Amino acid sequence: MLLHTIFVIALAAESMSAALAAGRRNMDWFGVCVLGCVTALGGGTARDLLLGHYPLLWVEQPAYLLVTTAAALFTIAVARIMERLKLIFLLLDAVGLVVFTISGCMVAMEMGQPVLIVIVAGIITGCVGGVLRDVLCNDVPLLFSGELYATVSAITACVFFFGLQAGMPVEVMTIAAMVVGFTLRTLAIVFKIEMPRFVYVPVRDQSSKR
């Protein structure tokens, strides 16, 4: 019940952050709602399609569509206030990342998938929604811009899965994985910790600048 409650809150937070991104690009209200739903539900949808897990998350629980749409529309009304709460939304996004990752792992484990697929399913659930948001906004996805995002998702998935394999209760490992993932993501935000970047300049480009 606790995980489900946090999951719904995370859905709303992801939809609201996506609605702000839509507003910065002057999208109409329909675009705001679509971007909110895609961001919040895209990761779970991609996971279900890849694993053949049906019905899809939002088809099985249509209320999730209502939650994400309502959150996106609510954002239109309070956007000016929300811009002042950027840090709070970054933290809520961190919560969403770890909660979505854990839920993705749970789905894959229930299907009897091997460890690698479980971890990948968690990463897909946690990260793909944000990638779709950035692609639809014509931005380089945050996931590929040095942010410590997918790495946090992978670590969260590993903590959750291997803790269960060690015989720990699901409730304990859910909380432990959430604490580890949220802490890592928060530290990355506060101290601006990033993944190493690959910078390649062809020799012909270097010579042309001389």
Side-chain angles (χ1 to χ4, degrees):
M1 181 61 69
L2 175 62
L3 183 63
H4 181 262
T5 301
I6 298 175
F7 182 82
V8 173
I9 294 173
L11 284 177
E14 292 290 331
S15 180
M16 294 172 80
S17 65
L20 286 177
R24 286 191 287 268
R25 286 152 185 82
N26 302 319
M27 295 186 185
D28 61 23
W29 286 26
F30 179 73
V32 171
C33 292
V34 168
L35 196 65
C37 292
V38 167
T39 303
L41 300 170
T45 300
R47 175 206 64 219
D48 289 344
L49 289 173
L50 290 171
L51 294 182
H53 180 261
Y54 300 104
L56 301 179
L57 176 67
W58 52 271
V59 175
E60 185 178 16
Q61 298 286 345
Y64 291 160
L65 278 176
L66 296 178
V67 169
T68 52
T69 301
L73 291 174
F74 178 73
T75 303
I76 296 175
V78 298
R80 295 188 182 278
I81 299 174
M82 289 171 57
E83 282 289 353
R84 304 170 191 166
L85 306 175
K86 184 177 180 180
L87 179 59
I88 293 177
F89 272 91
L90 284 174
L91 296 178
L92 286 174
D93 179 73
V95 172
L97 173 66
V98 297
V99 171
F100 293 164
T101 297
I102 293 170
S103 69
C105 291
M106 285 182 170
V107 169
M109 291 175 70
E110 288 171 359
M111 296 179 67
Q113 299 291 346
V115 54
L116 181 59
I117 303 304
V118 170
I119 294 172
V120 170
I123 296 172
I124 289 173
T125 309
C127 300
V128 166
V131 172
L132 293 174
R133 175 199 62 215
D134 294 339
V135 169
L136 291 174
C137 289
N138 200 29
D139 291 332
V140 176
L142 183 69
L143 188 68
F144 308 139
S145 302
E147 289 280 347
L148 211 62
Y149 207 79
T151 305
V152 171
S153 180
I155 293 173
T156 301
C158 288
V159 169
F160 181 72
F161 177 82
F162 290 111
L164 293 182
Q165 293 297 106
M168 299 296 290
V170 175
E171 295 80 5
V172 172
M173 289 318 304
T174 298
I175 295 173
M178 286 179 61
V179 169
V180 170
F182 180 78
T183 301
L184 289 175
R185 180 61 184 148
T186 302
L187 290 174
I189 292 171
V190 172
F191 296 104
K192 295 180 171 40
I193 304 172
E194 296 186 344
M195 290 287 290
R197 295 173 182 264
F198 173 56
V199 180
Y200 171 68
V201 179
V203 176
R204 61 178 179 274
D205 292 346
Q206 292 178 353
S207 60
S208 64
K209 293 179 181 179
R210 295 174 182 174

PDB file of all heavy atoms in Angstrom, residues 122-153:
ATOM      1  N   GLY A 122      13.730  -2.650 -14.737  1.00  0.00           N
ATOM      2  CA  GLY A 122      13.672  -1.566 -13.767  1.00  0.00           C
ATOM      3  C   GLY A 122      14.186  -0.267 -14.344  1.00  0.00           C
ATOM      4  O   GLY A 122      13.573   0.802 -14.158  1.00  0.00           O
ATOM      5  N   ILE A 123      15.290  -0.325 -15.072  1.00  0.00           N
ATOM      6  CA  ILE A 123      15.871   0.877 -15.678  1.00  0.00           C
ATOM      7  C   ILE A 123      14.924   1.461 -16.721  1.00  0.00           C
ATOM      8  O   ILE A 123      14.714   2.683 -16.777  1.00  0.00           O
ATOM      9  CB  ILE A 123      17.233   0.557 -16.309  1.00  0.00           C
ATOM     10  CG1 ILE A 123      18.235   0.136 -15.232  1.00  0.00           C
ATOM     11  CG2 ILE A 123      17.771   1.758 -17.075  1.00  0.00           C
ATOM     12  CD1 ILE A 123      19.548  -0.383 -15.781  1.00  0.00           C
ATOM     13  N   ILE A 124      14.352   0.608 -17.547  1.00  0.00           N
ATOM     14  CA  ILE A 124      13.413   1.072 -18.574  1.00  0.00           C
ATOM     15  C   ILE A 124      12.224   1.776 -17.931  1.00  0.00           C
ATOM     16  O   ILE A 124      11.814   2.864 -18.354  1.00  0.00           O
ATOM     17  CB  ILE A 124      12.936  -0.114 -19.441  1.00  0.00           C
ATOM     18  CG1 ILE A 124      14.080  -0.600 -20.338  1.00  0.00           C
ATOM     19  CG2 ILE A 124      11.724   0.275 -20.281  1.00  0.00           C
ATOM     20  CD1 ILE A 124      13.754  -1.866 -21.093  1.00  0.00           C
ATOM     21  N   THR A 125      11.668   1.170 -16.900  1.00  0.00           N
ATOM     22  CA  THR A 125      10.503   1.757 -16.232  1.00  0.00           C
ATOM     23  C   THR A 125      10.850   3.094 -15.601  1.00  0.00           C
ATOM     24  O   THR A 125      10.046   4.037 -15.634  1.00  0.00           O
ATOM     25  CB  THR A 125       9.978   0.801 -15.149  1.00  0.00           C
ATOM     26  OG1 THR A 125       9.803  -0.508 -15.699  1.00  0.00           O
ATOM     27  CG2 THR A 125       8.639   1.287 -14.603  1.00  0.00           C
ATOM     28  N   GLY A 126      12.052   3.190 -15.041  1.00  0.00           N
ATOM     29  CA  GLY A 126      12.431   4.419 -14.363  1.00  0.00           C
ATOM     30  C   GLY A 126      12.841   5.546 -15.293  1.00  0.00           C
ATOM     31  O   GLY A 126      12.646   6.720 -14.962  1.00  0.00           O
ATOM     32  N   CYS A 127      13.378   5.211 -16.460  1.00  0.00           N
ATOM     33  CA  CYS A 127      14.050   6.231 -17.274  1.00  0.00           C
ATOM     34  C   CYS A 127      13.388   6.565 -18.612  1.00  0.00           C
ATOM     35  O   CYS A 127      13.547   7.690 -19.103  1.00  0.00           O
ATOM     36  CB  CYS A 127      15.489   5.793 -17.560  1.00  0.00           C
ATOM     37  SG  CYS A 127      16.503   5.544 -16.083  1.00  0.00           S
ATOM     38  N   VAL A 128      12.680   5.628 -19.212  1.00  0.00           N
ATOM     39  CA  VAL A 128      12.212   5.836 -20.589  1.00  0.00           C
ATOM     40  C   VAL A 128      11.199   6.975 -20.688  1.00  0.00           C
ATOM     41  O   VAL A 128      11.180   7.709 -21.691  1.00  0.00           O
ATOM     42  CB  VAL A 128      11.632   4.526 -21.159  1.00  0.00           C
ATOM     43  CG1 VAL A 128      10.826   4.784 -22.428  1.00  0.00           C
ATOM     44  CG2 VAL A 128      12.758   3.543 -21.456  1.00  0.00           C
ATOM     45  N   GLY A 129      10.367   7.157 -19.673  1.00  0.00           N
ATOM     46  CA  GLY A 129       9.401   8.251 -19.720  1.00  0.00           C
ATOM     47  C   GLY A 129      10.073   9.604 -19.900  1.00  0.00           C
ATOM     48  O   GLY A 129       9.632  10.434 -20.705  1.00  0.00           O
ATOM     49  N   GLY A 130      11.154   9.821 -19.163  1.00  0.00           N
ATOM     50  CA  GLY A 130      11.898  11.070 -19.292  1.00  0.00           C
ATOM     51  C   GLY A 130      12.548  11.221 -20.654  1.00  0.00           C
ATOM     52  O   GLY A 130      12.619  12.324 -21.204  1.00  0.00           O
ATOM     53  N   VAL A 131      13.027  10.106 -21.214  1.00  0.00           N
ATOM     54  CA  VAL A 131      13.621  10.144 -22.549  1.00  0.00           C
ATOM     55  C   VAL A 131      12.569  10.541 -23.584  1.00  0.00           C
ATOM     56  O   VAL A 131      12.819  11.391 -24.453  1.00  0.00           O
ATOM     57  CB  VAL A 131      14.231   8.776 -22.912  1.00  0.00           C
ATOM     58  CG1 VAL A 131      14.688   8.757 -24.375  1.00  0.00           C
ATOM     59  CG2 VAL A 131      15.406   8.455 -21.999  1.00  0.00           C
ATOM     60  N   LEU A 132      11.387   9.958 -23.485  1.00  0.00           N
ATOM     61  CA  LEU A 132      10.306  10.297 -24.419  1.00  0.00           C
ATOM     62  C   LEU A 132       9.913  11.765 -24.295  1.00  0.00           C
ATOM     63  O   LEU A 132       9.661  12.440 -25.299  1.00  0.00           O
ATOM     64  CB  LEU A 132       9.091   9.395 -24.150  1.00  0.00           C
ATOM     65  CG  LEU A 132       9.281   7.905 -24.456  1.00  0.00           C
ATOM     66  CD1 LEU A 132       8.054   7.122 -24.009  1.00  0.00           C
ATOM     67  CD2 LEU A 132       9.538   7.693 -25.940  1.00  0.00           C
ATOM     68  N   ARG A 133       9.866  12.265 -23.066  1.00  0.00           N
ATOM     69  CA  ARG A 133       9.552  13.686 -22.858  1.00  0.00           C
ATOM     70  C   ARG A 133      10.563  14.573 -23.571  1.00  0.00           C
ATOM     71  O   ARG A 133      10.183  15.507 -24.288  1.00  0.00           O
ATOM     72  CB  ARG A 133       9.577  13.991 -21.357  1.00  0.00           C
ATOM     73  CG  ARG A 133       9.393  15.473 -21.013  1.00  0.00           C
ATOM     74  CD  ARG A 133       9.893  15.747 -19.608  1.00  0.00           C
ATOM     75  NE  ARG A 133      11.322  15.454 -19.489  1.00  0.00           N
ATOM     76  CZ  ARG A 133      11.896  14.960 -18.398  1.00  0.00           C
ATOM     77  NH1 ARG A 133      11.176  14.714 -17.315  1.00  0.00           N
ATOM     78  NH2 ARG A 133      13.194  14.716 -18.368  1.00  0.00           N
ATOM     79  N   ASP A 134      11.841  14.282 -23.382  1.00  0.00           N
ATOM     80  CA  ASP A 134      12.881  15.120 -23.976  1.00  0.00           C
ATOM     81  C   ASP A 134      12.879  15.033 -25.495  1.00  0.00           C
ATOM     82  O   ASP A 134      13.098  16.028 -26.192  1.00  0.00           O
ATOM     83  CB  ASP A 134      14.252  14.724 -23.421  1.00  0.00           C
ATOM     84  CG  ASP A 134      14.379  15.032 -21.939  1.00  0.00           C
ATOM     85  OD1 ASP A 134      13.622  15.882 -21.441  1.00  0.00           O
ATOM     86  OD2 ASP A 134      15.227  14.406 -21.272  1.00  0.00           O
ATOM     87  N   VAL A 135      12.633  13.827 -26.028  1.00  0.00           N
ATOM     88  CA  VAL A 135      12.577  13.660 -27.481  1.00  0.00           C
ATOM     89  C   VAL A 135      11.409  14.457 -28.067  1.00  0.00           C
ATOM     90  O   VAL A 135      11.555  15.155 -29.082  1.00  0.00           O
ATOM     91  CB  VAL A 135      12.456  12.167 -27.850  1.00  0.00           C
ATOM     92  CG1 VAL A 135      12.131  12.002 -29.335  1.00  0.00           C
ATOM     93  CG2 VAL A 135      13.743  11.425 -27.517  1.00  0.00           C
ATOM     94  N   LEU A 136      10.248  14.378 -27.430  1.00  0.00           N
ATOM     95  CA  LEU A 136       9.085  15.118 -27.916  1.00  0.00           C
ATOM     96  C   LEU A 136       9.280  16.627 -27.793  1.00  0.00           C
ATOM     97  O   LEU A 136       8.679  17.398 -28.540  1.00  0.00           O
ATOM     98  CB  LEU A 136       7.834  14.688 -27.145  1.00  0.00           C
ATOM     99  CG  LEU A 136       7.336  13.265 -27.426  1.00  0.00           C
ATOM    100  CD1 LEU A 136       6.178  12.909 -26.499  1.00  0.00           C
ATOM    101  CD2 LEU A 136       6.895  13.133 -28.885  1.00  0.00           C
ATOM    102  N   CYS A 137      10.118  17.053 -26.845  1.00  0.00           N
ATOM    103  CA  CYS A 137      10.429  18.481 -26.686  1.00  0.00           C
ATOM    104  C   CYS A 137      11.633  18.891 -27.513  1.00  0.00           C
ATOM    105  O   CYS A 137      12.111  20.023 -27.408  1.00  0.00           O
ATOM    106  CB  CYS A 137      10.680  18.797 -25.213  1.00  0.00           C
ATOM    107  SG  CYS A 137       9.202  18.733 -24.174  1.00  0.00           S
ATOM    108  N   ASN A 138      12.157  17.949 -28.322  1.00  0.00           N
ATOM    109  CA  ASN A 138      13.310  18.229 -29.190  1.00  0.00           C
ATOM    110  C   ASN A 138      14.548  18.614 -28.385  1.00  0.00           C
ATOM    111  O   ASN A 138      15.322  19.488 -28.780  1.00  0.00           O
ATOM    112  CB  ASN A 138      12.973  19.337 -30.192  1.00  0.00           C
ATOM    113  CG  ASN A 138      13.905  19.330 -31.394  1.00  0.00           C
ATOM    114  OD1 ASN A 138      14.427  18.294 -31.781  1.00  0.00           O
ATOM    115  ND2 ASN A 138      14.133  20.505 -31.973  1.00  0.00           N
ATOM    116  N   ASP A 139      14.740  17.947 -27.245  1.00  0.00           N
ATOM    117  CA  ASP A 139      15.914  18.160 -26.407  1.00  0.00           C
ATOM    118  C   ASP A 139      16.776  16.899 -26.406  1.00  0.00           C
ATOM    119  O   ASP A 139      16.282  15.790 -26.652  1.00  0.00           O
ATOM    120  CB  ASP A 139      15.512  18.464 -24.961  1.00  0.00           C
ATOM    121  CG  ASP A 139      14.847  19.816 -24.816  1.00  0.00           C
ATOM    122  OD1 ASP A 139      15.155  20.713 -25.625  1.00  0.00           O
ATOM    123  OD2 ASP A 139      14.015  19.971 -23.904  1.00  0.00           O
ATOM    124  N   VAL A 140      18.061  17.070 -26.103  1.00  0.00           N
ATOM    125  CA  VAL A 140      18.908  15.900 -25.846  1.00  0.00           C
ATOM    126  C   VAL A 140      18.434  15.280 -24.537  1.00  0.00           C
ATOM    127  O   VAL A 140      18.335  15.977 -23.524  1.00  0.00           O
ATOM    128  CB  VAL A 140      20.392  16.299 -25.723  1.00  0.00           C
ATOM    129  CG1 VAL A 140      21.238  15.086 -25.354  1.00  0.00           C
ATOM    130  CG2 VAL A 140      20.882  16.918 -27.014  1.00  0.00           C
ATOM    131  N   PRO A 141      18.075  14.009 -24.528  1.00  0.00           N
ATOM    132  CA  PRO A 141      17.545  13.400 -23.299  1.00  0.00           C
ATOM    133  C   PRO A 141      18.478  13.591 -22.108  1.00  0.00           C
ATOM    134  O   PRO A 141      19.701  13.464 -22.230  1.00  0.00           O
ATOM    135  CB  PRO A 141      17.413  11.916 -23.668  1.00  0.00           C
ATOM    136  CG  PRO A 141      17.198  11.930 -25.144  1.00  0.00           C
ATOM    137  CD  PRO A 141      18.057  13.057 -25.654  1.00  0.00           C
ATOM    138  N   LEU A 142      17.874  13.915 -20.977  1.00  0.00           N
ATOM    139  CA  LEU A 142      18.625  14.089 -19.734  1.00  0.00           C
ATOM    140  C   LEU A 142      19.479  12.866 -19.444  1.00  0.00           C
ATOM    141  O   LEU A 142      20.590  12.967 -18.923  1.00  0.00           O
ATOM    142  CB  LEU A 142      17.642  14.336 -18.585  1.00  0.00           C
ATOM    143  CG  LEU A 142      18.199  14.613 -17.191  1.00  0.00           C
ATOM    144  CD1 LEU A 142      18.868  15.971 -17.167  1.00  0.00           C
ATOM    145  CD2 LEU A 142      17.084  14.555 -16.155  1.00  0.00           C
ATOM    146  N   LEU A 143      18.965  11.705 -19.822  1.00  0.00           N
ATOM    147  CA  LEU A 143      19.652  10.440 -19.576  1.00  0.00           C
ATOM    148  C   LEU A 143      21.023  10.383 -20.243  1.00  0.00           C
ATOM    149  O   LEU A 143      21.934   9.711 -19.758  1.00  0.00           O
ATOM    150  CB  LEU A 143      18.779   9.290 -20.095  1.00  0.00           C
ATOM    151  CG  LEU A 143      19.207   7.857 -19.772  1.00  0.00           C
ATOM    152  CD1 LEU A 143      19.074   7.598 -18.284  1.00  0.00           C
ATOM    153  CD2 LEU A 143      18.372   6.865 -20.565  1.00  0.00           C
ATOM    154  N   PHE A 144      21.166  11.115 -21.363  1.00  0.00           N
ATOM    155  CA  PHE A 144      22.407  11.058 -22.143  1.00  0.00           C
ATOM    156  C   PHE A 144      23.258  12.313 -21.974  1.00  0.00           C
ATOM    157  O   PHE A 144      24.217  12.513 -22.735  1.00  0.00           O
ATOM    158  CB  PHE A 144      22.082  10.864 -23.632  1.00  0.00           C
ATOM    159  CG  PHE A 144      21.157   9.718 -23.913  1.00  0.00           C
ATOM    160  CD1 PHE A 144      20.138   9.834 -24.843  1.00  0.00           C
ATOM    161  CD2 PHE A 144      21.293   8.522 -23.223  1.00  0.00           C
ATOM    162  CE1 PHE A 144      19.287   8.777 -25.103  1.00  0.00           C
ATOM    163  CE2 PHE A 144      20.441   7.461 -23.466  1.00  0.00           C
ATOM    164  CZ  PHE A 144      19.429   7.583 -24.405  1.00  0.00           C
ATOM    165  N   SER A 145      22.931  13.140 -21.013  1.00  0.00           N
ATOM    166  CA  SER A 145      23.609  14.430 -20.870  1.00  0.00           C
ATOM    167  C   SER A 145      24.544  14.490 -19.673  1.00  0.00           C
ATOM    168  O   SER A 145      24.867  15.568 -19.182  1.00  0.00           O
ATOM    169  CB  SER A 145      22.568  15.548 -20.761  1.00  0.00           C
ATOM    170  OG  SER A 145      21.732  15.566 -21.890  1.00  0.00           O
ATOM    171  N   GLY A 146      24.943  13.337 -19.175  1.00  0.00           N
ATOM    172  CA  GLY A 146      25.870  13.304 -18.052  1.00  0.00           C
ATOM    173  C   GLY A 146      25.220  13.157 -16.698  1.00  0.00           C
ATOM    174  O   GLY A 146      25.901  12.911 -15.700  1.00  0.00           O
ATOM    175  N   GLU A 147      23.884  13.327 -16.633  1.00  0.00           N
ATOM    176  CA  GLU A 147      23.191  13.215 -15.350  1.00  0.00           C
ATOM    177  C   GLU A 147      23.325  11.795 -14.786  1.00  0.00           C
ATOM    178  O   GLU A 147      23.250  10.809 -15.523  1.00  0.00           O
ATOM    179  CB  GLU A 147      21.712  13.561 -15.510  1.00  0.00           C
ATOM    180  CG  GLU A 147      21.432  15.033 -15.758  1.00  0.00           C
ATOM    181  CD  GLU A 147      21.462  15.849 -14.494  1.00  0.00           C
ATOM    182  OE1 GLU A 147      21.452  15.247 -13.393  1.00  0.00           O
ATOM    183  OE2 GLU A 147      21.498  17.087 -14.591  1.00  0.00           O
ATOM    184  N   LEU A 148      23.520  11.712 -13.475  1.00  0.00           N
ATOM    185  CA  LEU A 148      23.596  10.415 -12.804  1.00  0.00           C
ATOM    186  C   LEU A 148      22.166   9.917 -12.598  1.00  0.00           C
ATOM    187  O   LEU A 148      21.570  10.082 -11.537  1.00  0.00           O
ATOM    188  CB  LEU A 148      24.310  10.560 -11.460  1.00  0.00           C
ATOM    189  CG  LEU A 148      25.125   9.343 -10.979  1.00  0.00           C
ATOM    190  CD1 LEU A 148      26.248   9.059 -11.961  1.00  0.00           C
ATOM    191  CD2 LEU A 148      25.690   9.597  -9.592  1.00  0.00           C
ATOM    192  N   TYR A 149      21.604   9.331 -13.641  1.00  0.00           N
ATOM    193  CA  TYR A 149      20.179   8.978 -13.656  1.00  0.00           C
ATOM    194  C   TYR A 149      19.992   7.472 -13.859  1.00  0.00           C
ATOM    195  O   TYR A 149      19.506   6.778 -12.974  1.00  0.00           O
ATOM    196  CB  TYR A 149      19.478   9.764 -14.773  1.00  0.00           C
ATOM    197  CG  TYR A 149      18.016  10.018 -14.519  1.00  0.00           C
ATOM    198  CD1 TYR A 149      17.604  11.039 -13.665  1.00  0.00           C
ATOM    199  CD2 TYR A 149      17.041   9.254 -15.143  1.00  0.00           C
ATOM    200  CE1 TYR A 149      16.258  11.287 -13.430  1.00  0.00           C
ATOM    201  CE2 TYR A 149      15.698   9.492 -14.924  1.00  0.00           C
ATOM    202  CZ  TYR A 149      15.321  10.505 -14.073  1.00  0.00           C
ATOM    203  OH  TYR A 149      13.980  10.737 -13.843  1.00  0.00           O
ATOM    204  N   ALA A 150      20.408   6.983 -15.021  1.00  0.00           N
ATOM    205  CA  ALA A 150      20.286   5.547 -15.283  1.00  0.00           C
ATOM    206  C   ALA A 150      21.142   4.743 -14.317  1.00  0.00           C
ATOM    207  O   ALA A 150      20.771   3.635 -13.910  1.00  0.00           O
ATOM    208  CB  ALA A 150      20.680   5.242 -16.722  1.00  0.00           C
ATOM    209  N   THR A 151      22.288   5.295 -13.930  1.00  0.00           N
ATOM    210  CA  THR A 151      23.163   4.600 -12.976  1.00  0.00           C
ATOM    211  C   THR A 151      22.468   4.424 -11.634  1.00  0.00           C
ATOM    212  O   THR A 151      22.538   3.353 -11.021  1.00  0.00           O
ATOM    213  CB  THR A 151      24.466   5.395 -12.773  1.00  0.00           C
ATOM    214  OG1 THR A 151      25.087   5.613 -14.045  1.00  0.00           O
ATOM    215  CG2 THR A 151      25.422   4.644 -11.869  1.00  0.00           C
ATOM    216  N   VAL A 152      21.785   5.472 -11.188  1.00  0.00           N
ATOM    217  CA  VAL A 152      21.035   5.385  -9.929  1.00  0.00           C
ATOM    218  C   VAL A 152      19.933   4.342 -10.052  1.00  0.00           C
ATOM    219  O   VAL A 152      19.695   3.550  -9.130  1.00  0.00           O
ATOM    220  CB  VAL A 152      20.435   6.760  -9.569  1.00  0.00           C
ATOM    221  CG1 VAL A 152      19.478   6.641  -8.382  1.00  0.00           C
ATOM    222  CG2 VAL A 152      21.546   7.756  -9.247  1.00  0.00           C
ATOM    223  N   SER A 153      19.261   4.324 -11.195  1.00  0.00           N
ATOM    224  CA  SER A 153      18.208   3.334 -11.419  1.00  0.00           C
ATOM    225  C   SER A 153      18.769   1.916 -11.371  1.00  0.00           C
ATOM    226  O   SER A 153      18.184   1.019 -10.753  1.00  0.00           O
ATOM    227  CB  SER A 153      17.540   3.584 -12.773  1.00  0.00           C
ATOM    228  OG  SER A 153      16.523   2.648 -13.027  1.00  0.00           O
TER     229      SER A 153
END
